[in-house]
Each structure stands twice: as C-alpha cells, then as structure tokens.
Amino acid sequence: MISRAQFDQIMVPNYAPGNVVPVKGKGSLVWDQEGNEYLDLSSGISVNALGHANPILVKAIQEQSEKLWHVSNILTNEPALELATKLCDLTFAEKVFFCNSGAEANEAALKLARRYAFDHYNEDKYEIISTINSFHGRTLFTVNVGGQPSYTQGFGPKPGGISHVPYNNLQAMEEAISEKTCAIIIEPLQGEGGVMPADADYLAGLRHLCDKHNALLIFDEVQTGVGRTGSFYAYQGFGVVPDILTSAKALGGGFPIGAMLTTTKVAESFSVGTHGSTYGGNPLACAVSLATVNEISKTEFLESVIKKGHAFQDFLNKMNEKFGLFEEVRGLGLLIGAPLKGEYIDRAGELMAKALEQNLMILIAGKNVLRFAPSLNITDAELKLAFEKIEATFESFCAASI
Ligand SMILES: *Cc1c(COP(=O)(O)O)cnc(C)c1O
C-alpha cells in the first residue's frame, strides 16, 4: 500500500508534505486514502480555480484526449490558436507565447525584455529591477529575480544585472531606474511575499517611470491572474497596463500551462529560433485552459468572486474582533491574507496544522501570514462550512496558546 512514509524514502527531500495523501476531489472537497473528508481553501496554491474534477474541464480534457495530445511546435494546433485568440480578446495583448509553468513564463518575459532592449537600444540596457519579497519562480534566473535571498544561496554564481527595491515604494524605484534598465517586474499583489496588494498609484507611477526610461513593465500575474482578484487579470482592476504579462497557476484549472502575453511590437524581438519550449502550446493543456478561461471570464463569474471575497474578509474581520489574532485582513477577491500580531507572530505554520486537524486545508505566505485562496466557484454551502472550520481552528489554537 502506497503511503506518506514512502515519500521520505523515494522523493528528493525539497518538500515536506503533510501526513495525509489525497486521492480524490470534487468541488472544494478532498478525500484522503482513509476516506476522511477535507475542505480545501488552498486550491493547490491558487491553481484549481474551478474546484476539483470540474465537469466542464473533465469534458474538455476527455474530448481533446481522443483527438490530439501533442504535435510540438514544428506544427501549430487548434486549441493553442483558440486559447491565444481568447486571451488577446480579454486583455491588452496582441501576441501570446505558451509554456508550462509560471517560472517558464517569467523566464520568457525576462529574456524577451532583454532582447527587446538589445534590438531597440543597446547591449548595456539589460538591468532588471524587481522588488524585495517578490516571487517569480525557481529557475536560476527567475529565483534570482525574486526578492527572497534565502532561495538563492549556494547555487553558484548568480545571474547579473538584477536589483531589488522595497515594494510599494515609488521613490526607491525612481532612484534605482536608469537608462540601463530594460524592465521592471512586479506582482500587482505579492502572493508568496505575504498577500500584499500594490497601491494603484504605485503601479501607475511604475508605468510612468518605465515610459520615461524606455523600460518594459512586466506584471507577474501567475498567482493573481485568471479571476483570482475579481478581475480577469488584476491589472484590469488597477487600470495600469503592462507591456508583458505572465500567467500560469489557474490558467490551466489544474493542468500545467503557462503563458506570456505581450504586444506585437515587443513580441517581434522573439523572432524565429530565439526561444522555445517543447510542450508549450500542447493541445491537451490548451483545451483545458480554454474551457477554464471561457468559464472564469464571464462577467457574472467575476462579480461572484468579488462578492465572495468581501464576505470572506468580513468574516475574518469578525473573527479578529473575537480572537484578536491579526494585524489586519487584506487582499483582493479570493486571495486573502491575514498577518499575525503580538504574541502570535510567525506562528502561521502552527495555525495551518491546527486547520488540518479540523479537516481544513489553508495556506500560509511566509511564517507570519495566513493565506486563503479557495476555488473561485466555491459554493455558499462550502463557504459556510469553511467559516465554521476556520472558527473552530482559531478556537483550538487560542485554547492551546493560553
Ligand atoms: C507560483 C508563482 C510563480 C512560479 O510558478 P511555477 O508554476 O511554480 O513555476 C511565479 N510567480 C508568482 C507570482 C507565483 O505566485
């Protein structure tokens, strides 16, 4: 019988998974090997935006799986073209590049920004400015662009031309940017860095700085994209348009896919042979993604995300009056963070473990922030159950802390 214990024997130890092994999911419910039922408020880290085993996505993958799985980029395919068309219809973008993950989408975006500066300006214009606490993936390039130094130690020489400034601080960016800057990369809301939304003025200021210095503005919407914040992409809620946008996580509704969206002018710097991915634009991935995007981009669907997000934040604020655990409750749509305060500082992991005792799956972002990222189509009944379990979690945590 397969069990969690085998993980330690057979898997590279870069993860420390919990003790239960999920075997089945439906909507926001998950069952483990013993048949125990869990309520999932993590959606696989902001991925399963339409819940587990959604019939619309099951149908999309079944139908495509009987037609065509893979052809590589020697040929194009219908699902990839349909999905690219839909993404351009929904956004500022005129051109799309497909890959398989968020890191790959950012890798493409950063390479493209450097190539664009090389093509249009000069070879010294390669500097990338990122923000402290940002997260952009785990490839050697993207992890170094990310602003979490503990992730980059001990991997040999670091790629150069990357600097970091404090988030939401326009003056710091103004001091850092120069004619050598080819791009600023930013999450409109820092996800892994603590569910920290940007100020709209800050993003507008970055747009202005980029224009002034001929640098490209890259929005990493790997976590915030595809309805998570209540807009299809978060930039649409902020009203600030990037030159390049990266998307992954929820884009495939649980099937791996990433995308980089940009304008025709910028895209031209990725001419034939400059970049590529064997799986990128895979028909199976694109078919599931298209079904996901068609569902989530509906106006009523996005409105429901905002409504549920408000209800969730109201509930957490009410809980905070009762238990006094948090400094504040923040976030956008159904990406919600609650930083712990006072004697509870840095104990988010303990709270996550307490939640699992209540058969509730939640997330943390760093050591101090509870993160909630439920499926966007979580039902009212599931939400009610979630609130009961959260209250029970806080109760048992506070009782154990006395
Ligand atoms: C998760 C995440 C990534 C990395 O995505 P992977 O699919 O794990 O490579 C990049 N940027 C942001 C903002 C993310 O949240």
Side-chain angles (χ1 to χ4, degrees), residues 339-350 366-369 397:
L340 297 167
K341 72 167 187 200
E343 75 223 70
Y344 306 114
I345 275 175
D346 284 351
R347 292 174 63 186
E350 282 174 57
K367 286 185 186 156
N368 197 47
V369 180
F397 175 76

Side-chain angles (χ1 to χ4, degrees), residues 94-95 112 116 120-121 262-270:
E94 297 158 327
K95 291 282 194 285
L112 177 60
Y116 178 83
H120 292 267
Y121 302 99
T262 188
T263 60
T264 299
K265 182 168 183 229
V266 173
E268 274 165 9
S269 285
F270 262 178

Side-chain angles (χ1 to χ4, degrees), residues 45-47 100-106 134-139 142 186-192 220-224 246 248-249 257-258 371:
I45 317 192
S46 205
V47 168
N100 315 290
S101 69
E104 281 178 65
N106 285 327
S134 63
F135 184 78
H136 298 297
R138 295 286 202 151
T139 65
T142 58
I186 192 113
E187 297 159 86
L189 176 158
Q190 282 189 336
E192 302 302 310
D220 178 347
E221 294 232 28
V222 171
Q223 188 152 166
T224 53
T246 56
K249 290 205 165 101
I257 184 171
R371 173 171 40 157

Side-chain angles (χ1 to χ4, degrees), residues 87-338:
L87 290 172
C88 288
D89 285 350
L90 288 169
T91 67
F92 75 98
E94 297 158 327
K95 291 282 194 285
V96 179
F97 168 80
F98 288 122
C99 50
N100 315 290
S101 69
E104 281 178 65
N106 285 327
E107 185 88 14
L110 296 162
K111 281 181 71 181
L112 177 60
R114 282 199 170 163
R115 191 63 177 231
Y116 178 83
F118 177 86
D119 287 348
H120 292 267
Y121 302 99
N122 58 68
E123 62 185 26
D124 292 328
K125 193 173 175 67
Y126 58 78
E127 288 179 3
I128 291 156
I129 310 179
S130 173
T131 54
I132 292 168
N133 274 332
S134 63
F135 184 78
H136 298 297
R138 295 286 202 151
T139 65
L140 191 60
F141 191 9
T142 58
V143 81
N144 277 280
V145 169
Q148 307 201 26
S150 64
Y151 292 170
T152 61
Q153 296 309 310
F155 295 106
K158 294 177 181 175
I162 301 165
S163 61
H164 299 91
V165 296
Y167 191 72
N168 256 339
N169 183 333
L170 192 59
Q171 197 190 332
M173 193 63 87
E174 207 164 349
E175 284 162 16
I177 199 168
S178 77
E179 289 316 302
K180 292 178 78 178
T181 306
C182 72
I184 291 174
I185 182 166
I186 192 113
E187 297 159 86
L189 176 158
Q190 282 189 336
E192 302 302 310
V195 190
M196 179 62 80
D199 298 329
D201 288 352
Y202 174 64
L203 295 180
L206 296 184
R207 178 69 274 174
H208 176 73
L209 283 177
C210 283
D211 291 342
K212 194 168 146 200
H213 295 273
N214 296 317
L216 298 180
L217 183 60
I218 304 171
F219 281 173
D220 178 347
E221 294 232 28
V222 171
Q223 188 152 166
T224 53
V226 195
R228 179 53 59 186
T229 67
S231 309
F232 189 73
Y233 284 111
Y235 86 86
Q236 294 162 319
F238 285 104
V240 178
V241 180
D243 300 295
I244 302 177
L245 182 150
T246 56
S247 188
K249 290 205 165 101
L251 184 60
F255 198 93
I257 184 171
M260 178 191 70
L261 315 186
T262 188
T263 60
T264 299
K265 182 168 183 229
V266 173
E268 274 165 9
S269 285
F270 262 178
S271 55
V272 173
T274 47
H275 193 61
S277 158
T278 297
Y279 277 128
N282 170 282
L284 270 184
C286 290
V288 185
S289 176
L290 182 64
T292 306
V293 168
N294 280 338
E295 201 56 26
I296 292 177
S297 60
K298 291 176 183 159
T299 308
E300 322 82 74
F301 189 94
L302 292 170
E303 282 168 1
S304 79
V305 172
I306 293 182
K307 233 174 77 193
K308 284 182 248 183
H310 284 153
F312 210 120
Q313 288 210 26
D314 287 349
F315 164 76
L316 286 176
N317 279 315
K318 218 166 71 202
M319 287 298 101
N320 205 24
E321 281 167 26
K322 183 167 171 191
F323 296 106
L325 288 167
F326 309 122
E327 213 170 89
E328 62 172 340
V329 175
R330 65 192 180 210
L332 289 169
L334 282 172
L335 185 50
I336 297 166

